[in-house]
Each structure stands twice: as C-alpha cells, then as structure tokens.
C-alpha cells in the first residue's frame, strides 16, 4: 500500500469517536461515548471497524436498536469499509465509567 493511499487509522478512529458522540441514550441526555458505553474501537488495515460496547443494563429498552444505530452511523463514514458492534456486559456498566462531562451534565458532581 503506497503512502498516499494508506489511511491514518488514528484519524479514522477520531472520526468514529466524533460520530459516536452524536448518538444518545434515549433515557439519559448524554451521548453514549461520554456515558462510557463504548469500551473499545478497533480499526484494521482494511478499514473494517469493530466496536465493543455495553448498555446501561441488559434490559435496556434500546438493546436492539442502539447497537444497530451505532453500526449504521459508523458504516456511513466514507473511509469505513464495514462495521460490527459487539455487546458485552463484562464488565457491567456503572456510573464510574461516565466521563466527568457526563457526570456534570447529569448533576452528579
């Protein structure tokens, strides 16, 4: 792969995070990234993305739709060839995973 055609995975990772910050948990007025629902984002050399995320609870009302929305939004980025979302509850989500910004937004600080 030539220097010109290689895509900076760090730059792509930042674009993915920007997209993730536009997706909100419908019950909490904070985006899923700041809520700490995104555990990891992997980008391989083929620009295939895998996102490891959790939900606030296994019984979350958006358990079906939220991962699909994340996948579709990330796939919509021009540089992304494919995206897959894997849901995990290990470790379980807790308020400790929230960013300071999210805690402030929710009046927890």
């Amino acid at each position: 792969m030539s220097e010109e055609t290689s895509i900076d995975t760090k730059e792509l990772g930042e674009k993915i995070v920007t997209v993730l910050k536009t997706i909100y948990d419908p019950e909490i007025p904070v985006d899923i990234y700041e809520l700490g629902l995104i555990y990891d984002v992997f980008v391989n050399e083929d620009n295939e993305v895998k996102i490891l995320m959790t939900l606030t609870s296994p019984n979350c009302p958006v358990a079906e739709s939220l991962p699909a929305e994340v996948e579709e939004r990330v796939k919509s980025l021009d540089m992304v060839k494919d995206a897959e979302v894997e849901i995990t509850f290990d470790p379980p989500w807790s308020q400790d995973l929230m960013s300071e910004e999210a805690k402030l937004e929710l009046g927890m600080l």
Side-chain angles (χ1 to χ4, degrees):
M1 188 180 251
S2 75
E3 198 65 35
E4 290 135 28
T5 57
S6 71
I7 294 170
D8 186 343
T9 53
K10 184 176 187 291
E11 179 188 333
L12 181 54
E14 288 168 5
K15 288 184 181 200
I16 292 167
V17 167
T18 300
V19 166
L20 295 173
K21 287 184 173 189
T22 67
I23 304 170
Y24 286 77
D25 184 306
E27 298 181 320
I28 308 169
V30 175
D31 70 75
I32 61 171
Y33 190 82
E34 297 298 337
L35 267 180
L37 298 182
I38 304 298
Y39 286 169
D40 221 334
V41 176
F42 306 95
V43 180
N44 71 15
E45 60 278 352
D46 294 328
N47 290 349
E48 295 165 337
V49 179
K50 182 168 183 180
I51 296 170
L52 185 63
M53 70 176 286
T54 194
L55 301 168
T56 52
S57 84
N59 304 325
C60 181
V62 292
E64 295 295 317
S65 62
L66 193 60
E69 181 181 359
V70 169
E71 206 169 276
E72 288 307 311
R73 293 268 194 103
V74 171
K75 279 182 184 175
S76 73
L77 288 168
D78 288 341
M79 292 192 281
V80 173
K81 181 178 173 188
D82 197 16
E84 175 190 347
V85 172
E86 182 179 326
I87 298 292
T88 184
F89 292 102
D90 183 28
W93 181 83
S94 73
Q95 293 179 350
D96 296 338
L97 297 170
M98 293 168 55
S99 69
E100 296 292 312
E101 182 181 312
K103 290 177 183 174
L104 189 62
E105 179 77 28
L106 297 173
M108 297 169 69
L109 284 180

